[in-house]
Amino acid sequence: MIPRLPIPWSSVRNWLGMTVLALLSAGGAIYLSLSLPVRHTADEPYVAIVGGRTISSRDFLMNYEFGYPHLKIGTDPVARKRAYLRAMVNELLITHEGFRRGFDASPRVHDDDRRTMTELLTEALIQNEVVAKTRVTDAEVREAINRSKVSFTLRYWGEPTETRALAVRQSMYQEGFMTVVDSIRRAHADVRIDPAMLESGEMNAFMIEPDVLAAIKDLGTGDISAPVAMHGGYYIFQVTGIKRHGIMEHEYAGQYETMKKVLLHARYDEGIQTFVAGFMTPKRVVTKALPFGALCDAVLAWKSSGDQRSMMLRDAVFSAAASDPRYRSLARMKDDPIVIYEGGQFTVGQFLDVFYPSLKDLADADPARVRHLLSEQVALTVRDQLLAGEARRRGLDTDPKVVHDRELWLRKAVYDETCMRLIGSGAGPEGMRRAKAVLERTADSLRTTIPITINEQVLDTLQVNEPSPTRPLGMQVFKLGSKRPAIPVTDGIWGSLDPAL
């Protein structure tokens, strides 16, 4: 019997995030920034107006608290806020110049805006259909706090099939868990497995994956679980210890809000899976084999040629079609459907307008693996487009928060495009110094022509959450689905500027 290599406990455990919730559904992830402000109102006080574009107090607070610590200069709280606002103003000056030059119409900005809108619409739909409708009761929170005071220590062993896992489990009942594990290890001495990898530390119920918890929660010390399907195999767990910690009445109040968030996040996860499955299943989505095969070939050509560094896949296929027969093959199918579903379809041309393949996982992959990975990416793209379409149908594209957040991301995209035009893509310390000098000179020049209003009365009284200035720490929160930050924070390149406004 060949042992299945164990996975580390860092993979077995399911840590529930408190800032950005990873919501798995239909094989992919939708990322919803639940800790960020839910609504934006037009009457919020402003801290600055740059050429008619406003930095609201809430925008400043979110940017500041998630921004780079080296932009917060000085030990005085007011000085740090003013230093950070100067960086924000400088960035908005560059952005204003980018709009003046028409860079918002560039292909890169256009693509970024389209992707941003899809994400925001999907988040808005999930917010309305799941988050806003999800509740937990006080009794449920209290019960969860009680459960968190029960902890386990475990051993585990993995097998590739359920049949083998059942056989090993039966042997463990007869001979003992570690006796069987040691016997398997001796029989396969060429596979080195450290026994310490098979043991967990002390974990409470909220540190254990739900399927594992369901398998062990009613077991006693020394008992062995039924096989649990996870991570592509079947895992057997032995409870090696159980601790039940007492809790005083006053502790419930101290832990209430945190535990409520944990329960809400778990229910959001379940609710999103249910909603997305209920939405997508009736669509009966089908990917057409011939165009999909041509798409795979074109993506490989895009990757191997290096074209992804200078142009989108769509542009490589249509603008540079003559450069590679694999591009030409897909380009000839421009008007053919690549995906069909109940009530509609995506032609190759339409699909390439919204398809942004990730090449990271395609490195050194064999053709069969490439097809599998791309099939997943195609499915997720279709899912996101259909969800975004449903959100538009419901009018969520005019939701104030969607409109506001889209504007912030558009500003960031125009800023990035303007920087690219001004300083190119120079790398290394010297390149960064030159880039910073160019941007500083440009911002200083623009200050003489673009009107700037600073509301110091509001800025100086804003209460911000930040660590001690003697130990500056920054927290970067990303949406894993798109690899972009949860909010568009100010560029760290402004860190050496004079903090005086």
Side-chain angles (χ1 to χ4, degrees):
M1 185 176 294
I2 300 175
R4 178 178 180 81
L5 290 178
I7 54 177
W9 273 102
S10 60
S11 295
V12 173
R13 288 180 292 187
N14 178 29
W15 297 94
L16 297 176
M18 298 303 297
T19 304
V20 175
L21 177 62
L23 302 162
L24 300 181
S25 56
I30 298 172
Y31 288 83
L32 191 62
S33 305
L34 298 174
S35 66
L36 305 186
V38 173
R39 291 291 166 199
H40 169 80
T41 58
D43 57 354
E44 290 174 7
Y46 72 91
V47 295
I49 301 175
V50 181
R53 291 183 171 85
T54 300
I55 300 175
S56 74
S57 58
R58 185 177 307 202
D59 292 338
F60 176 83
L61 285 172
M62 297 306 299
N63 199 315
Y64 185 94
E65 293 182 9
F66 287 94
Y68 295 102
H70 67 274
L71 298 180
K72 306 164 190 177
I73 303 171
T75 58
D76 177 64
V78 171
R80 289 198 298 275
K81 287 186 290 186
R82 291 190 177 197
Y84 199 91
L85 181 60
R86 180 178 178 92
M88 291 182 69
V89 167
N90 280 350
E91 185 163 308
L92 197 47
L93 286 168
I94 300 293
T95 302
H96 189 281
E97 177 66 7
F99 276 105
R100 188 189 70 80
R101 297 191 189 187
F103 295 160
D104 53 312
S106 74
R108 275 189 294 260
V109 172
H110 181 72
D111 280 324
D112 187 88
D113 183 52
R114 183 170 9 212
R115 296 172 75 174
T116 295
M117 195 59 174
T118 298
E119 292 173 19
L120 294 176
L121 286 169
T122 301
E123 290 177 3
L125 183 63
I126 296 302
Q127 174 72 32
N128 285 5
E129 288 300 315
V130 179
V131 176
K133 298 178 181 179
T134 302
R135 301 286 185 273
V136 294
T137 67
D138 291 345
E140 290 170 328
V141 175
R142 189 179 183 91
E143 173 59 24
I145 293 172
N146 289 334
R147 290 203 316 270
S148 73
K149 297 303 177 180
V150 179
S151 61
F152 301 86
T153 53
L154 306 170
R155 292 190 184 115
Y156 80 106
W157 181 257
E159 290 289 342
T161 68
E162 184 177 20
T163 299
R164 284 168 57 163
L166 289 169
V168 169
R169 176 180 181 242
Q170 184 61 36
S171 297
M172 287 174 171
Y173 270 126
Q174 298 169 352
E175 305 173 38
F177 188 96
M178 287 308 298
T179 299
V180 173
V181 168
D182 290 341
S183 175
I184 296 173
R185 289 175 57 232
R186 285 193 300 270
H188 299 279
D190 56 316
V191 181
R192 294 174 179 265
I193 300 175
D194 183 354
M197 290 180 64
L198 307 176
E199 299 186 5
S200 76
E202 187 174 322
M203 303 182 299
N204 67 34
F206 294 96
M207 298 164 63
I208 303 173
E209 287 198 23
D211 289 345
V212 178
L213 182 63
I216 67 165
K217 64 183 179 65
D218 296 323
L219 300 181
T221 301
D223 289 348
I224 299 170
S225 76
V228 179
M230 57 187 292
H231 300 288
Y234 291 83
Y235 289 83
I236 307 160
F237 297 87
Q238 182 185 41
V239 178
T240 57
I242 304 174
K243 290 184 180 179
R244 291 177 170 84
H245 307 272
I247 182 169
M248 304 296 290
E249 188 63 32
H250 71 274
E251 293 182 85
Y252 285 105
Q255 298 180 32
Y256 181 90
E257 289 301 326
T258 296
M259 186 57 68
K260 184 177 181 180
K261 289 178 182 178
V262 170
L263 292 181
L264 280 171
H265 284 188
R267 293 199 178 169
Y268 294 152
D269 188 358
E270 296 172 1
I272 287 176
Q273 291 189 52
T274 300
F275 173 73
V276 173
F279 177 80
M280 291 299 296
T281 300
K283 299 291 185 184
R284 304 184 185 209
V285 178
V286 175
T287 303
K288 308 293 282 185
L290 189 59
F292 175 71
L295 174 69
C296 293
D297 292 340
V299 170
L300 289 176
W302 189 54
K303 174 178 178 294
S304 61
S305 65
D307 286 341
Q308 78 277 6
R309 300 187 187 95
S310 60
M311 65 182 75
M312 305 300 295
L313 174 63
R314 171 200 61 221
D315 299 327
V317 169
F318 296 123
S319 300
S323 67
D324 193 295
R326 292 170 291 184
Y327 291 157
R328 292 197 297 272
S329 177
L330 186 60
R332 283 194 293 266
M333 301 180 186
K334 177 181 180 180
D335 297 323
D336 296 343
I338 187 172
V339 172
I340 60 174
Y341 57 92
E342 288 291 328
Q345 66 177 24
F346 290 100
T347 65
V348 167
Q350 291 169 332
F351 189 76
L352 288 177
D353 277 340
V354 296
F355 184 54
Y356 306 97
S358 170
L359 300 180
K360 180 175 178 290
D361 296 330
L362 302 184
D364 303 320
D366 60 61
R369 178 65 174 162
V370 168
R371 289 180 66 89
H372 172 71
L373 292 171
L374 287 176
S375 69
E376 291 182 338
Q377 293 184 28
V378 167
L380 296 179
T381 298
V382 172
R383 179 202 67 182
D384 292 346
Q385 291 301 313
L386 292 179
L387 287 171
E390 176 65 13
R392 283 192 178 89
R393 189 184 68 78
R394 300 187 186 195
L396 294 179
D397 52 332
T398 61
D399 180 274
K401 184 177 187 303
V402 172
V403 173
H404 171 258
D405 290 355
R406 181 186 188 183
E407 169 65 20
L408 292 186
W409 281 111
L410 180 59
R411 292 180 187 180
K412 175 59 77 171
V414 172
Y415 168 78
D416 290 340
E417 181 72 12
T418 308
C419 289
M420 182 69 69
R421 305 287 184 102
L422 290 174
I423 62 180
S425 56
E430 186 57 36
M432 289 295 293
R433 282 191 290 270
R434 287 196 298 268
K436 183 177 298 186
V438 170
L439 293 179
E440 287 176 351
R441 288 195 301 270
T442 303
D444 288 342
S445 174
L446 292 172
R447 281 176 178 271
T448 65
T449 60
I450 298 175
I452 302 171
T453 303
I454 304 297
N455 192 341
E456 293 182 357
Q457 183 177 4
V458 170
L459 175 68
D460 294 350
T461 56
L462 286 177
Q463 297 297 310
V464 297
N465 295 320
E466 61 177 335
S468 166
T470 60
R471 298 182 62 192
L473 298 172
M475 179 172 65
Q476 296 293 300
V477 182
F478 294 88
K479 299 181 181 184
L480 298 188
S482 62
K483 303 298 190 291
R484 78 164 79 222
I487 61 171
V489 297
T490 298
D491 192 348
I493 201 170
W494 300 107
S496 68
L497 297 181
D498 182 351
L501 281 173

